[in-house]
C-alpha cells in the first residue's frame, strides 16, 4: 500500500502522541467505558481474542465480560440485542468483524435502529454505534473486501462517518457514542496500522463536517477514508506538475457537508470525487449532483469527474484487486486531465 | 485561416435577425470595411461591413429566415482555401443573386444525419465560461474554445477579453502609451486607469462595451498614465502633473472632445480634465473616483506599493473586491509586473505622498458650480473598502449615481456587464446632446 502521511495537527498545547488508528479507537472505547456506565461493547471475538484487528484487545480484562461481550456468530441476533439495549437506555457499540457481514443484520439496522425514533413519535431513540471494518487491499476476496457505506448512507435515520486519520477515528467514535441516534462508522482495514497525532484526552470531532486536508486553487478532490491519503499523495505529485489541488476529507457521508464542498468548488472551478466503494450510484454521484444543483454549478470550468470502485466484485488476484479500486496514479491522471485538458 | 462572419448584435436586446440581402456575390474578393450584407431586426435595418479581407463564402442567405445572433453567416477565405464544414445557419443554399424571380423550389431532403449536424453546431462552453460571458456581456459565439471538441472555458473568455485591445502603441510626441479598440468614427471614449493599475486593466470593460456598441462602436482609447504600464517614470509626481500629461496626450492624439471614463485616481483626473476646459467632455463616467472626500484605505495603498510577491500582495488586492477571489493569480502577477520597473517604485511613492499624504486624499475637486454640463455619472460598489461610496454625495446634483451590489472598488472588473450597460447608455444619451461634428472639429484644432 501507499505511504500514509501524517495529516492531522493536534490542538495547540495538547499532549499529542503519534499512535495508530487502531490504538486511537481503543483509546476512545476505553475512555467511553470509563466515563459512562451505560456504554458496553459487543461483537464476535472482541473479548479474549481482542477483535479481528486487535482494536479491543485488553478491554475485556479491564471492564469484564459484562461490558465487553463476545457474541455468537449470529449477526442478526447481536444487532437485535444492541438495538434493544439502546432502546432500554444503554449505549452499545457493536462491532462487525467485517462490514460485509452486516448484510446479515440489515433488518435490525435499517428497519429497526433507523426507524424506531420516527415510528414511536420521538418517544424513544436508538443511541447505537456500529463499527464496520471495511475495504479492499488485504487479499481477502469478494466477501470480505467490500465498501458498502453508500448503502447505509441511503437510509434516513442513520448517520454514516468514515474517519481517515487516527485523530478522527477517536474523535468521531466519541461523538458517535454521544449521539442519541444510530451512527455507522466505516473503518478501512488498511488504516488500522497507520499512525498520526492524537490528543490524550477525550475530544469530539463533529459529525457532518468535512475537513480541508490541503488547500489548493486548481481543483477540488473530495475523498473518503483511505482515498484521502491517496488523494494527498496525488496532490503532491500534481504540485510537481505545477497544479495546486485542494483535498477534502469528507469524513461524514450522512449528513453530507455540502457547504464546504460548494465553497471549495466555487474557488477551484473543478471537481474530482474519489472513493473506494463502487462508482455507480456511489457517494461521488451524490456529491456531483449536489454541486450541479448548487450555486457552484456556474463556477464549474470543467465536467465533474468521479473515481470509484470498478463495477465488479473485489477480485482475489492481487493485481486485479489493486486495479479494482482507485490508486494514487489514477487520481493524479484524472486530476491532471481535468486541469490541463478540461476533460 | 477562414474568418467567420457572424450575425452581429446590432440592438441591445436583439436575439435574432434576418439577412435582408447580400451586397457581395459568392466568391467575390472583399476588402476590410466593405459593406457585406444588410441585416433586418424587429427594429431596424443596417449594413454590416467586412472586418477582414478575403474571398466570400456565404453560408446563410435571406431564405434562412430568422437566424440567432452569433450564428455563422459566411466565411472569408484565403485564395485556394476550402470553407469549413457547413455550420448551423446553413439551412438554405447560398443565393448570391438578390431578388431572384425564380419560383421557390421545394427544399431537398436533408441527406446527412441531423444528429451529427446538430452536434457540430452545438456551442460548447463550461458553466463558468457561460456565466462570465453573460455577466460581461460577451457573445460566446464569437469566442474560440480551446477545450475538448471546442468547448469554451474561462481562459478562452479571458483571452477574448484581452484580445479586444491592441497592444500599447508607441507614444506620440508629447503623448502617453495608448491601447486602442473599437471603431474609427465618432467621438472617442477615453479610459483613465487608477493608481497602480494600467491601460490593459480596462480590457474586460472595453470588450463588453464593444460588444454592446456592435458596428457603431466609437474609438476606444485607454492610456497608460505616467508611472504606470508602458509610460515613463519621469517628471513631477503630482495630481496636477498627471492631469497635464493626460491632457497633453489627448491633444497629441488630435482629440478635442471625448467621453471621459476614469477609475479611482483616474476618475479624479477625468473630472479634472472635464473641468479644465481644454478638452471638451462629451460625457463623464467616474468609477469609484478619488477627489470627492478625505478618506482612503491607506493601509491597502501602502501594502500594494510595498508588495514584492503574490502572497504579500494578495491580502491588499483582496480588499479591492467584494468577492476576494477576484484578486486572482493573473491580476496579482500583472500588478507586480506593473510596479517592477526600475525607478517606478520611487515615482509611485512620491505620487502617493502627493495625492494621499498621511492616508488622506489631499486633492479635492472644485466643481465651480455646474461647470460640467455634459451627462455625468458616478458608479460605485456598495462594498468599496478603499474609498467609501458616500463620497459620491459630494458630487454636483446633475450627476447620476449608480450604486452596485456585491461590488467593491473595481466595478469595471466586478460588475463589468452593469458598467458596460451604464457606459453604453451614457454614450447614447450624450450623442443626442452633442453639437455637430463640425463644431467639435474646431475645438480639436
Amino acid at each position: 500500500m501507499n505511504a500514509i502521511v501524517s495529516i492531522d495537527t493536534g490542538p495547540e498545547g495538547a499532549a499529542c502522541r503519534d499512535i495508530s488508528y487502531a490504538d486511537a479507537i481503543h483509546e476512545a472505547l476505553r475512555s467511553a467505558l470509563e466515563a459512562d456506565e451505560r456504554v458496553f461493547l459487543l461483537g464476535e471475538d472482541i473479548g479474549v481474542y481482542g477483535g479481528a484487528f486487535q482494536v479491543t484487545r485488553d478491554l475485556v480484562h479491564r471492564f469484564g465480560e459484562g461490558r465487553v461481550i463476545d457474541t455468537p456468530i449470529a449477526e442478526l441476533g447481536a444487532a437485535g440485542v444492541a438495538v434493544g439495549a439502546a432502546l432500554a437506555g444503554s449505549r452499545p457499540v457493536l462491532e462487525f468483524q467485517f462490514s460485509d457481514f452486516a448484510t446479515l443484520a440489515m433488518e435490525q439496522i435499517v428497519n429497526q435502529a433507523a426507524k424506531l425514533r420516527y415510528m414511536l413519535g420521538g418517544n424513544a431513540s436508538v443511541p447505537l454505534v456500529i463499527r464496520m471494518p471495511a475495504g479492499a487491499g488485504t487479499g481477502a476476496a469478494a466477501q470480505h473486501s467490500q465498501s458498502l457505506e453508500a448503502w447505509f448512507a441511503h437510509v434516513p435515520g442513520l448517520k454514516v462517518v468514515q474517519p481517515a486519520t487516527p485523530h478522527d477515528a477517536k474523535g468521531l467514535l466519541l461523538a458517535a457514542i454521544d449521539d442519541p441516534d444510530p451512527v455507522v462508522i466505516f473503518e478501512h482495514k488498511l488504516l488500522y496500522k497507520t499512525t498520526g497525532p492524537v490528543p490524550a484526552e477525550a475530544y469530539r470531532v463533529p459529525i457532518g463536517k468535512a475537513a480541508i486536508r490541503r488547500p489548493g486553487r486548481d481543483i477540488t478532490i473530495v475523498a473518503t477514508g483511505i482515498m484521502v491519503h491517496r488523494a494527498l499523495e496525488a496532490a503532491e505529485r500534481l504540485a510537481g506538475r505545477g497544479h495546486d489541488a485542494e483535498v477534502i476529507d469528507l469524513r461524514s457521508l450522512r449528513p453530507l457537508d455540502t457547504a464546504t464542498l460548494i465553497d471549495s468548488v466555487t474557488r477551484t472551478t473543478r471537481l474530482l470525487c474519489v472513493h473506494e466503494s463502487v462508482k455507480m450510484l456511489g457517494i461521488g454521484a451524490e456529491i456531483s449532483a449536489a454541486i450541479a444543483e448548487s450555486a457552484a454549478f456556474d463556477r464549474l470550468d470543467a465536467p465533474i469527474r468521479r473515481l470509484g470502485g470498478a463495477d465488479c466484485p473485489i477480485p482475489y488476484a492481487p493485481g486485479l484487486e489493486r486495479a479494482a479500486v482507485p490508486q494514487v496514479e489514477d487520481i493524479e491522471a484524472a486530476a491532471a486531465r481535468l486541469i490541463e485538458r478540461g476533460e | 485561416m477562414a474568418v467567420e462572419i457572424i450575425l452581429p448584435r446590432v440592438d441591445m436586446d436583439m436575439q435574432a435577425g434576418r439577412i435582408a440581402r447580400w451586397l457581395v456575390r459568392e466568391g467575390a474578393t472583399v476588402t476590410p470595411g466593405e459593406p457585406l450584407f444588410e441585416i433586418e431586426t424587429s427594429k431596424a435595418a443596417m449594413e454590416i461591413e467586412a472586418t477582414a479581407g478575403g474571398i466570400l463564402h456565404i453560408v446563410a442567405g435571406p431564405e434562412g429566415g430568422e437566424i440567432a445572433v452569433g450564428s455563422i453567416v459566411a466565411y472569408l477565405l484565403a485564395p485556394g482555401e476550402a470553407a469549413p464544414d457547413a455550420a448551423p445557419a446553413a439551412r438554405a443554399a447560398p443565393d448570391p443573386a438578390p431578388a431572384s424571380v425564380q419560383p421557390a423550389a421545394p427544399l431537398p431532403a436533408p441527406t446527412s444525419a441531423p444528429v451529427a449536424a446538430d452536434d457540430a453546431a452545438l456551442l460548447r462552453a463550461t458553466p463558468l465560461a457561460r456565466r462570465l460571458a453573460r455577466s460581461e456581456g460577451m457573445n460566446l459565439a464569437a469566442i474560440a474554445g480551446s477545450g475538448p471538441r471546442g468547448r469554451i472555458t474561462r481562459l478562452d473568455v479571458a483571452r477574448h477579453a484581452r484580445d479586444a485591445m491592441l497592444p500599447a502603441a508607441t507614444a506620440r510626441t508629447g503623448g502617453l502609451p495608448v491601447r486602442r479598440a473599437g471603431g474609427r468614427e465618432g467621438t472617442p471614449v477615453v479610459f483613465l486607469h487608477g493608481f497602480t493599475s494600467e491601460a490593459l486593466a480596462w480590457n474586460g470593460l472595453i470588450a463588453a462595451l464593444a460588444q454592446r456598441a456592435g458596428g457603431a462602436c466609437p474609438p476606444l482609447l485607454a492610456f497608460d498614465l505616467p508611472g504606470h504600464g508602458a509610460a515613463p517614470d519621469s517628471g513631477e509626481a503630482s495630481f496636477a502633473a498627471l492631469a497635464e500629461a493626460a491632457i497633453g496626450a489627448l491633444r497629441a492624439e488630435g482629440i478635442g472632445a471625448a467621453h471621459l471614463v476614469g477609475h479611482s485616481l483616474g476618475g479624479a483626473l477625468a473630472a479634472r480634465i472635464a473641468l479644465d476646459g481644454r478638452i471638451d467632455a462629451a460625457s463623464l463616467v467616474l468609477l469609484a473616483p478619488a477627489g470627492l472626500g478625505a478618506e482612503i484605505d491607506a493601509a491597502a495603498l501602502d501594502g500594494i506599493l510595498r508588495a514584492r510577491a503574490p502572497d504579500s500582495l494578495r491580502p491588499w488586492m483582496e480588499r479591492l473586491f467584494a468577492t476576494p477571489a477576484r484578486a486572482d493569480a493573473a491580476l496579482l502577477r500583472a500588478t507586480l509586473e506593473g510596479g517592477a520597473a526600475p525607478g517606478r517604485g520611487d515615482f509611485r511613492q512620491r505620487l502617493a505622498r502627493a495625492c494621499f499624504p498621511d492616508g488622506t486624499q489631499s486633492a479635492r475637486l472644485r466643481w465651480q458650480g455646474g461647470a460640467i454640463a455634459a451627462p455625468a455619472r458616478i458608479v460605485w460598489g456598495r462594498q468599496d473598502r478603499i474609498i467609501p461610496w458616500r463620497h459620491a454625495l459630494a458630487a454636483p446634483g446633475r450627476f447620476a449615481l449608480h450604486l452596485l451590489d456585491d461590488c467593491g472598488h473595481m466595478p469595471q472588473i466586478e460588475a463589468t456587464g452593469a458598467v458596460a450597460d451604464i457606459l453604453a447608455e451614457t454614450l447614447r444619451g450624450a450623442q443626442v446632446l452633442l453639437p455637430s461634428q463640425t463644431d467639435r472639429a474646431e475645438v480639436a484644432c
Side-chain angles (χ1 to χ4, degrees):
Chain A
M1 70 171 279
N2 303 298
I4 301 283
V5 287
S6 170
I7 55 178
D8 271 321
T9 49
E12 208 68 38
C16 263
R17 304 89 3 102
D18 271 9
I19 62 173
S20 75
Y21 189 97
D23 285 347
I25 298 169
H26 176 270
E27 210 167 83
L29 292 172
R30 181 177 162 181
S31 85
L33 284 163
E34 277 166 356
D36 188 344
E37 283 190 350
R38 298 173 301 169
V39 175
F40 75 97
L41 318 183
L42 71 170
E44 291 160 10
D45 290 330
I46 67 166
V48 176
Y49 181 65
F53 300 96
Q54 293 300 297
V55 168
T56 51
R57 39 175 205 275
D58 60 344
L59 293 177
V60 69
H61 304 303
R62 290 179 184 274
F63 298 97
E65 292 183 343
R67 297 185 72 197
V68 181
I69 301 170
D70 269 329
T71 67
I73 302 177
E75 283 78 6
L76 181 60
V81 167
V83 172
L87 269 178
S90 289
R91 297 267 166 169
V93 179
L94 171 64
E95 175 184 309
F96 285 97
Q97 201 160 53
F98 287 83
S99 64
D100 312 72
F101 305 162
T103 54
L104 289 155
M106 288 308 260
E107 160 62 21
Q108 284 299 327
I109 300 169
V110 176
N111 270 338
Q112 305 304 327
K115 305 288 194 295
L116 286 173
R117 175 193 281 279
Y118 178 81
M119 296 193 72
L120 297 176
N123 291 309
S125 70
V126 183
L128 164 67
V129 176
I130 302 176
R131 293 185 38 247
M132 302 269 206
T138 61
Q143 295 164 323
H144 295 76
S145 302
Q146 297 171 85
S147 298
L148 299 177
E149 56 271 14
W151 285 20
F152 295 89
H154 192 67
V155 178
L158 296 180
K159 295 187 176 82
V160 179
V161 300
Q162 219 175 342
T165 65
H167 177 274
D168 284 356
K170 179 175 175 180
L172 280 170
L173 178 50
L174 285 172
I177 292 171
D178 287 348
D179 201 279
D181 293 302
V183 180
V184 186
I185 305 177
F186 279 84
E187 301 161 0
H188 200 288
K189 284 166 286 192
L190 293 184
L191 289 176
Y192 283 128
K193 288 184 177 164
T194 63
T195 59
V198 176
E201 78 277 5
Y203 60 93
R204 272 75 181 163
V205 168
I207 295 173
K209 190 83 192 79
I212 297 175
R213 297 298 184 192
R214 182 190 198 282
R217 292 167 172 268
D218 296 331
I219 188 170
T220 298
I221 305 178
V222 185
T224 62
I226 194 165
M227 292 301 154
V228 173
H229 303 279
R230 293 187 189 161
L232 283 166
E233 198 179 329
E236 285 311 309
R237 295 189 191 179
L238 288 163
R241 297 166 73 160
H243 303 319
D244 189 14
E246 175 149 316
V247 176
I248 295 183
D249 175 357
L250 195 61
R251 298 205 289 197
S252 292
L253 273 63
R254 173 188 276 272
L256 188 61
D257 184 2
T258 45
T260 294
L261 303 176
I262 289 169
D263 174 69
S264 175
V265 175
T266 299
R267 285 183 284 106
T268 65
T269 74
R270 300 180 185 93
L271 173 63
L272 174 65
C273 306
V274 189
H275 51 72
E276 181 170 320
S277 50
V278 172
K279 177 176 159 186
M280 185 180 180
L281 295 167
I283 186 67
E286 179 59 35
I287 292 169
S288 305
I291 290 299
E293 286 173 346
S294 79
F297 174 78
D298 272 333
R299 297 290 306 174
L300 285 172
D301 204 27
I304 300 172
R305 293 284 176 218
R306 294 173 294 149
L307 292 174
D311 208 3
C312 68
I314 298 293
Y316 175 66
L320 292 179
E321 182 185 24
R322 191 177 186 282
V325 298
Q327 304 294 337
V328 175
E329 56 269 25
D330 302 323
I331 302 169
E332 182 195 1
R337 200 175 155 93
L338 272 175
I339 297 169
E340 291 165 10
R341 293 161 56 184
E343 61 181 340
Chain B
M1 221 186 95
V3 176
E4 295 174 352
I5 310 284
I6 59 163
L7 191 82
R9 188 188 301 276
V10 294
D11 241 309
M12 284 299 290
D13 53 356
M14 169 182 170
Q15 303 297 324
R18 67 186 302 279
I19 292 173
R21 63 189 180 118
W22 280 95
L23 304 169
V24 181
R25 282 181 172 275
E26 168 80 12
T29 302
V30 301
T31 52
E34 194 176 340
L36 278 183
F37 60 95
E38 272 181 11
I39 185 172
E40 235 176 42
T41 71
S42 54
K43 291 185 186 157
M46 68 182 296
E47 283 183 6
I48 303 300
E49 298 171 353
T51 51
I55 298 163
L56 183 67
H57 173 71
I58 297 174
V59 173
E63 334 71 11
E66 287 267 304
I67 298 171
V69 165
S71 301
I72 294 169
V73 298
Y75 292 101
L76 293 174
L77 307 173
E81 187 184 21
D85 287 341
R91 274 180 290 174
D95 181 3
S100 165
V101 291
Q102 286 178 346
L107 283 173
T111 49
S112 60
V115 175
D118 282 355
D119 193 55
L122 190 67
L123 194 153
R124 291 189 178 79
T126 65
L128 180 56
R130 285 181 192 277
R131 191 187 63 98
L132 290 174
R134 204 159 53 230
S135 72
E136 302 189 0
M138 290 184 191
N139 182 359
L140 277 175
I143 300 175
S146 64
R149 298 196 293 165
R151 186 187 293 135
I152 299 163
T153 66
R154 180 187 63 85
L155 268 181
D156 297 324
V157 177
R159 230 176 261 142
H160 181 74
R162 189 197 59 203
D163 294 346
M165 276 205 288
L166 297 172
T170 319
R172 304 191 181 194
T173 316
L176 289 168
V178 61
R179 288 175 183 268
R180 296 164 204 277
R184 279 167 296 180
E185 295 298 315
T187 308
V189 186
V190 169
F191 295 82
L192 299 172
H193 63 76
F195 188 47
T196 73
S197 186
E198 60 179 302
L200 194 60
W202 291 106
N203 256 332
L205 180 64
I206 281 180
L209 182 64
Q211 290 251 339
R212 279 160 175 72
C217 189
L220 309 174
L221 287 85
F223 288 93
D224 282 328
L225 294 169
H228 297 78
D233 305 313
S234 52
E236 186 193 327
S238 73
F239 182 68
L242 246 55
E244 280 310 312
I247 292 169
L250 287 167
R251 291 170 74 88
E253 290 288 331
I255 295 170
H259 299 278
L260 298 172
V261 183
H263 169 244
S264 197
L265 182 62
L269 283 174
R272 169 74 163 257
I273 293 166
L275 290 165
D276 175 85
R278 277 174 283 171
I279 302 293
D280 181 11
S283 73
L284 189 59
V285 176
L286 310 179
L287 312 177
L292 294 172
E295 297 93 338
I296 189 159
D297 184 347
L301 277 179
D302 197 40
I304 291 168
L305 280 179
R306 269 186 297 130
R308 294 286 172 269
D311 284 338
S312 52
L313 180 60
R314 185 177 300 110
W316 307 113
M317 292 298 281
E318 284 179 346
R319 285 212 209 179
L320 296 176
F321 299 97
T323 307
R326 287 288 196 149
D328 58 16
L331 181 63
L332 296 180
R333 203 167 44 243
T335 307
L336 287 171
E337 282 169 9
R344 176 145 291 183
D346 177 58
F347 182 89
R348 288 184 173 184
Q349 290 285 3
R350 283 187 286 129
L351 186 59
R353 275 197 300 276
C355 295
F356 314 113
D358 308 321
T360 304
Q361 296 191 43
S362 62
R364 210 62 74 76
L365 296 165
R366 296 199 175 76
W367 297 104
Q368 304 170 346
I372 295 174
R377 298 170 187 245
I378 293 180
V379 183
W380 226 307
R382 286 183 193 274
Q383 282 78 38
D384 194 329
R385 288 183 278 177
I386 305 299
I387 305 178
W389 69 261
R390 286 181 186 282
H391 285 192
L393 304 178
R398 288 192 63 260
F399 280 50
L401 173 59
H402 300 264
L403 287 177
L404 304 179
D405 289 324
D406 304 321
C407 180
H409 189 60
M410 309 289 279
Q412 69 275 37
I413 293 178
E414 224 165 5
T416 315
V419 175
D421 285 341
I422 292 165
L423 255 179
E425 216 172 276
T426 312
L427 298 182
R428 272 201 307 276
Q431 260 160 14
V432 180
L433 296 170
L434 270 182
S436 71
Q437 190 76 36
T438 31
D439 291 346
R440 284 206 311 283
E442 283 166 24
V443 181
C445 303

